[in-house]
Amino acid sequence: MSMCLELLPNELLFNIFQYLSTPDVLRIFCQLNRRFDKLVDKHLYTCKYIDLQTTSKFNFDLIWEQYLSPLAGKITSLSLSNDVNTPDQVDQFYAHGFTLCDFPQLQYLALFHIHSKEIMDKIANDLPHLTTLTHLTFEKSIFNYQYMINIIWSLSNLVYFRFNTYSDSEQLAFHTPRVTSSTIKYIHGFFDERDTNIIALLRHTPQIRCLSLTIHDCSFLTDLSTNITSITKLDLLFTKPAFSPLVDFLRRTPNLTYLKLDMVYNGIHAQVWERLIQKYLPKLKTLHFKMNFTTVKAGSTGEKQVEQILNTFRNSFWLDEHRWFVQCDWSPITEKCYVYTLPYAFENFNIDFPICSKFTCAIDNTPCFYDCVRRLTFNATTDHLYDSLTLSHIQFSNIQYITIDLIGAKRFLYTNGQNGSSAYNCEVNCLNQLQHILEQYRRVTSLRLCGWPSAILNMPQCSIKDVSVFELDLQCRTGREYYYTQEECDHFSRSILGIQCKILTIDVIDWTCVYNLIIKMNNLQMLNVRCRHHQPNSSQVSHERDLMEWLHKNIQDVFSDIKRITWKRKSIFIER
């Protein structure tokens, strides 16, 4: 391969570099020979975009020491992450003597997994100096400071602001700004909650064009007395059962051209949609919605109601004038009914089995209708799980996260050592089908299993190979807990999924299980764990500090490949 690359002219190699991240360029081409080292040097000195989200600590230090200092004044885009693959990367950034102030030409800044108030304070101090910044992103980070949002709204050239809170953060939304920005046009991640207010946000962001909004409180909707003429694109998650306040809000956006709406507990009837669009949203070109209903009764009565719902979308307004097609999925058992537009435009997709589907158009190319789906959840009983996993009329091409939740009291009974007639055939089939799914969906990185804990770990028939799953969640919901024994943890650590697992969430019997998982799972970097009992044959221990002291004493003093073990926000981080 290197011989073929050496035949390529420099110009073509530079083009190849443009399609790779900075870490990939260093990992693939650095230190091959003198020519490639010079090409890499030149690329880094001319490249204005530095993305270090997947950078190893070695390459991270190499970039800071050899390249970033002379490049800092030219860089226009920078991404940093403190996730499990690059723990403490932002801390290292500051430890190398850098601050964001050292990047005077920075236009794009993306920060991921910032969970430290100290780091956020440093970032807050740096932001006012980034006078050229136009795009700012915080993904999966804490964000509960009033002064921080005011600093952001004071940035003189900021156009785009995206925020996605850390899931365990106490504060799920940023505060409403008290200063006015004349430049911000795109906001993603706003929550209308106790400390926030959409009316105040709009007042302090008069140039807003695109807004991604989660609505938990309808009270502000009734206070909106004037039209919001600047907004042309809305992405809404509506969590209230009443839809009238939402309709009143949409009536105030006459220039809307794009609307994406996820209604969690209710839906807007087709006739209401028609009147709303015809009278108040004349410029609307793109409509994506997902709505939930509950059928009156199971069986044929439910199917009849579904057909009645779909018939309201089978007229010239939907089919001819706008060509907006609708599909309905429902379960005769759970009576849940999902109505959504095609193509499906949302990241999450739930399958409540058994599932039936009807639609208002001919399905010619089903896979393309579900390209946006990243998170797939199967909800099924043990009797219907195999049928659920073999769902054929809906295909997904970009799945990254899979959750399989078994409903009801029955769980898989197969355990290690059982063979032949003692194992249920349906369980064998389900595990084989799961293997097929994981090998089919090559992009899956996260797998969550609820209700059948030991089967996937111990069945010799299920030899899952060549999959990319590195995050595994085996923790059941409250009331359905299952605590893994030392033997089961040992089996899991030697399984294919256990060997490649980097992030594990699990309930175990005692600390000895935690110890065994850490020392036997060589790729494990983060462990979210709950113990039923404390360390066997020891005194009662109730504090996280005692657990960490016990782990340090029993692991780091013995296993030299483990450099550091830390406890952050109920998680154990392992640095090797």
Side-chain angles (χ1 to χ4, degrees):
M1 182 65 178
S2 61
M3 292 298 294
C4 295
L5 286 173
E6 289 186 352
L7 298 176
L8 297 177
N10 292 349
E11 292 77 10
L12 186 54
L13 288 170
F14 282 130
N15 288 336
I16 294 175
F17 291 171
Q18 295 294 330
Y19 288 94
L20 300 175
S21 67
T22 305
D24 287 337
V25 171
L26 289 172
R27 182 168 55 249
I28 297 171
F29 296 100
C30 197
Q31 297 182 349
L32 289 179
N33 54 44
R34 184 175 300 177
R35 179 198 173 204
F36 278 98
D37 286 345
K38 289 182 178 180
L39 291 175
V40 170
D41 285 350
K42 186 175 181 180
H43 168 71
L44 290 175
Y45 276 99
T46 57
C47 178
K48 297 181 179 180
Y49 175 76
I50 304 294
D51 183 354
L52 301 172
Q53 292 184 64
T54 59
T55 312
S56 67
K57 188 177 186 304
F58 171 79
N59 283 334
F60 187 87
D61 293 336
L62 178 67
I63 293 173
W64 290 152
E65 295 170 3
Q66 295 189 19
Y67 300 109
L68 206 57
S69 290
L71 287 176
K74 299 179 180 180
I75 291 175
T76 61
S77 180
L78 179 65
S79 297
L80 298 171
S81 176
N82 269 359
D83 69 2
V84 68
N85 293 312
T86 54
D88 301 324
Q89 187 180 89
V90 182
D91 305 65
Q92 294 174 39
F93 171 82
Y94 284 101
H96 280 79
F98 285 96
T99 69
L100 296 175
C101 304
D102 295 321
F103 301 82
Q105 302 300 319
L106 201 61
Q107 298 176 22
Y108 299 80
L109 175 62
L111 301 169
F112 300 82
H113 297 272
I114 311 297
H115 305 156
S116 164
K117 183 180 183 300
E118 180 182 356
I119 293 298
M120 289 298 287
D121 287 339
K122 292 181 179 180
I123 294 170
N125 291 331
D126 291 347
L127 282 177
H129 302 280
L130 303 181
T131 57
T132 61
L133 197 66
T134 60
H135 290 65
L136 177 61
T137 295
F138 287 95
E139 282 285 342
K140 298 183 179 179
S141 301
I142 62 170
F143 201 90
N144 56 355
Y145 314 126
Q146 175 71 57
Y147 71 87
M148 173 70 96
I149 200 67
N150 290 331
I151 290 173
I152 293 172
W153 252 245
S154 299
L155 294 173
S156 57
N157 287 295
L158 192 66
V159 175
Y160 177 99
F161 176 61
R162 179 182 182 88
F163 168 73
N164 180 13
T165 185
Y166 176 58
S167 59
D168 289 342
S169 175
E170 295 178 358
Q171 179 66 41
L172 294 179
F174 54 83
H175 289 255
T176 305
R178 295 178 180 176
V179 299
T180 298
S181 169
S182 61
T183 58
I184 295 179
K185 297 181 179 180
Y186 305 91
I187 301 174
H188 295 268
F190 187 83
F191 282 71
D192 185 75
E193 290 189 326
R194 180 187 60 187
D195 297 319
T196 60
N197 184 279
I198 183 63
I199 297 177
L201 175 71
L202 296 173
R203 185 187 310 120
H204 291 298
T205 322
Q207 300 301 316
I208 184 70
R209 299 289 185 273
C210 175
L211 176 61
S212 173
L213 171 65
T214 296
I215 303 174
H216 294 309
D217 183 7
C218 294
S219 60
F220 79 88
L221 297 174
T222 59
D223 298 330
L224 195 60
S225 58
T226 59
N227 286 348
I228 313 166
T229 57
S230 63
I231 292 183
T232 60
K233 183 176 181 179
L234 272 176
D235 185 344
L236 301 177
L237 172 62
F238 191 73
T239 64
K240 293 296 181 179
F243 65 83
S244 296
L246 175 63
V247 173
D248 292 337
F249 173 64
L250 293 175
R251 289 171 58 184
R252 295 295 184 179
T253 58
N255 293 321
L256 208 62
T257 61
Y258 176 98
L259 175 60
K260 180 179 176 182
L261 173 61
D262 186 353
M263 299 189 69
V264 177
Y265 296 113
N266 209 325
I268 300 177
H269 297 287
Q271 295 87 345
V272 177
W273 273 118
E274 290 181 40
R275 291 194 296 267
L276 173 67
I277 294 170
Q278 289 174 336
K279 187 173 182 178
Y280 297 102
L281 305 176
K283 298 181 180 180
L284 190 66
K285 301 299 182 184
T286 303
L287 173 64
H288 301 295
F289 65 68
K290 180 175 66 172
M291 308 184 297
N292 295 347
F293 296 91
T294 301
T295 55
V296 177
K297 293 181 180 179
S300 59
T301 305
E303 182 177 357
K304 182 178 180 181
Q305 183 178 356
V306 167
E307 189 64 30
Q308 291 173 347
I309 292 173
L310 281 183
N311 282 337
T312 62
F313 292 97
R314 291 188 176 114
N315 58 33
S316 59
F317 174 85
W318 295 96
L319 302 181
D320 302 324
E321 183 178 346
H322 294 285
R323 296 191 63 79
W324 289 334
F325 302 108
V326 173
Q327 177 163 327
C328 181
D329 301 330
W330 84 98
S331 170
I333 292 180
T334 66
E335 302 180 16
K336 291 182 179 179
C337 177
Y338 301 94
V339 181
Y340 52 84
T341 50
L342 295 173
Y344 190 85
F346 301 88
E347 182 179 278
N348 301 313
F349 191 90
N350 292 339
I351 298 176
D352 291 273
F353 223 81
I355 187 173
C356 305
S357 298
K358 288 181 177 289
F359 28 79
T360 62
C361 67
I363 305 298
D364 297 325
N365 191 12
T366 302
C368 69
F369 286 145
Y370 298 89
D371 286 349
C372 290
V373 179
R374 300 290 183 272
R375 299 176 180 272
L376 181 61
T377 299
F378 297 93
N379 299 304
T381 63
T382 52
D383 296 331
H384 292 98
L385 178 59
Y386 180 74
D387 293 329
S388 174
L389 296 178
T390 55
L391 188 66
S392 58
H393 73 284
I394 300 179
Q395 298 181 32
F396 307 92
S397 58
N398 293 310
I399 297 298
Q400 294 177 292
Y401 309 88
I402 291 180
T403 296
I404 304 177
D405 192 352
L406 284 182
I407 302 170
K410 291 176 62 178
R411 69 168 74 241
F412 277 2
L413 302 178
Y414 191 100
T415 58
N416 192 52
Q418 289 182 320
N419 293 288
S421 59
S422 62
Y424 288 108
N425 290 332
C426 68
E427 296 177 6
V428 177
N429 292 336
C430 288
L431 287 167
N432 289 335
Q433 184 60 28
L434 174 61
Q435 173 184 342
H436 172 72
I437 288 176
L438 293 179
E439 293 177 349
Q440 177 184 5
Y441 298 139
R442 297 288 180 165
R443 298 188 180 186
V444 173
T445 59
S446 176
L447 177 64
R448 182 169 186 249
L449 300 174
C450 285
W452 46 319
S454 62
I456 183 61
L457 309 183
N458 301 326
M459 284 197 63
Q461 290 94 332
C462 188
S463 55
I464 300 175
K465 298 178 181 179
D466 300 325
V467 295
S468 56
V469 175
F470 67 83
E471 181 176 2
L472 193 60
D473 186 345
L474 303 176
Q475 204 170 70
C476 295
R477 291 195 299 259
T478 302
R480 297 170 55 190
E481 293 91 346
Y482 183 93
Y483 292 88
Y484 285 80
T485 65
Q486 294 184 40
E487 181 182 6
E488 289 172 332
C489 289
D490 181 65
H491 284 299
F492 170 63
S493 66
R494 291 185 280 108
S495 68
I496 296 297
L497 289 175
I499 290 172
Q500 65 186 25
C501 183
K502 294 182 180 179
I503 305 173
L504 175 63
T505 301
I506 192 172
D507 292 337
V508 298
I509 293 294
D510 55 40
W511 287 5
T512 304
C513 298
V514 178
Y515 173 87
N516 288 333
L517 290 171
I518 293 177
I519 64 172
K520 293 181 179 180
M521 296 175 63
N522 294 329
N523 289 312
L524 189 64
Q525 299 177 25
M526 178 175 166
L527 178 61
N528 305 303
V529 63
R530 293 183 304 196
C531 296
R532 171 181 282 182
H533 307 298
H534 300 296
Q535 181 189 2
N537 304 319
S538 70
S539 59
Q540 180 84 2
V541 182
S542 58
H543 298 292
E544 297 170 357
R545 182 186 63 185
D546 299 321
L547 171 59
M548 294 312 301
E549 289 179 355
W550 185 84
L551 288 175
H552 279 286
K553 179 179 179 181
N554 289 275
I555 294 180
Q556 284 188 282
D557 294 345
V558 179
F559 297 92
S560 58
D561 65 318
I562 299 178
K563 299 177 182 178
R564 185 172 58 162
I565 299 176
T566 55
W567 182 287
K568 295 180 182 179
R569 291 182 171 268
K570 303 178 182 180
S571 300
I572 299 174
F573 289 84
I574 303 103
E575 182 178 342
R576 300 180 186 273

